[in-house]
Amino acid sequence: MTTWISRAFALLVMLPGLLFIVLGLRWLVDPAGVAPTLGLSLQTGLGLSSQIGDLAAFFLVAGLSILIAVVTRNRTWFYPPVMLLLLAATGRLVAWIAHGASFAITQIVFEIVVALILLIASRYLPARD
């Protein structure tokens, strides 16, 4: 890839990483504000603990892994967020098919598209392993 295309692609790859970090941090500092953006009602007690802990961890691991991958140019860091996103999309499909949840097409498409971008980045961005 030419230098400017590589840099532009790296910036594109970093955008979902930054979005995920912001979402993860919001789960830690403003769960009541971020829950509705994901179609969630904020729980109480142990449910609230699970929401904050699990969702903050999901988004922070995904976002930090993406940024580490882009900065270090180490392809291995792209794979954890790819797995998280594809498993989340799979979980949404299972929720729809087996449990009567709404079909979350927008979220599923977003997760798959970002995962594909990350897989492409794992092939073309890294300069070293």
Side-chain angles (χ1 to χ4, degrees):
M1 255 191 233
T2 62
T3 302
W4 73 270
I5 293 175
S6 179
R7 287 184 183 162
F9 187 55
L11 287 174
L12 171 70
V13 171
M14 289 175 70
L15 289 177
L18 294 171
L19 171 69
F20 294 152
I21 289 171
V22 168
L23 283 171
L25 292 174
R26 284 195 67 200
W27 273 105
L28 294 175
V29 299
D30 183 27
V34 73
T37 66
L38 298 176
L40 298 172
S41 300
L42 206 56
Q43 300 296 305
T44 59
L46 188 56
L48 179 60
S49 177
S50 293
Q51 273 184 310
I52 293 171
D54 295 349
L55 290 167
F58 177 95
F59 288 114
L60 289 171
V61 166
L64 290 171
S65 295
I66 292 167
L67 294 184
I68 291 169
V70 172
V71 170
T72 66
R73 300 292 180 145
N74 184 332
R75 79 178 69 239
T76 304
W77 285 99
F78 283 113
Y79 302 129
V82 168
M83 290 186 290
L84 285 169
L85 291 166
L86 292 179
L87 287 170
T90 301
R92 290 180 192 279
L93 289 172
V94 169
W96 173 61
I97 293 166
H99 303 291
S102 296
F103 183 54
I105 187 68
T106 303
Q107 292 81 0
I108 292 169
V109 167
F110 176 79
E111 290 159 351
I112 292 171
V113 166
V114 172
L116 290 174
I117 289 170
L118 295 177
L119 286 172
I120 292 166
S122 76
R123 169 83 167 105
Y124 292 105
L125 282 185
R128 59 187 177 274
D129 280 325

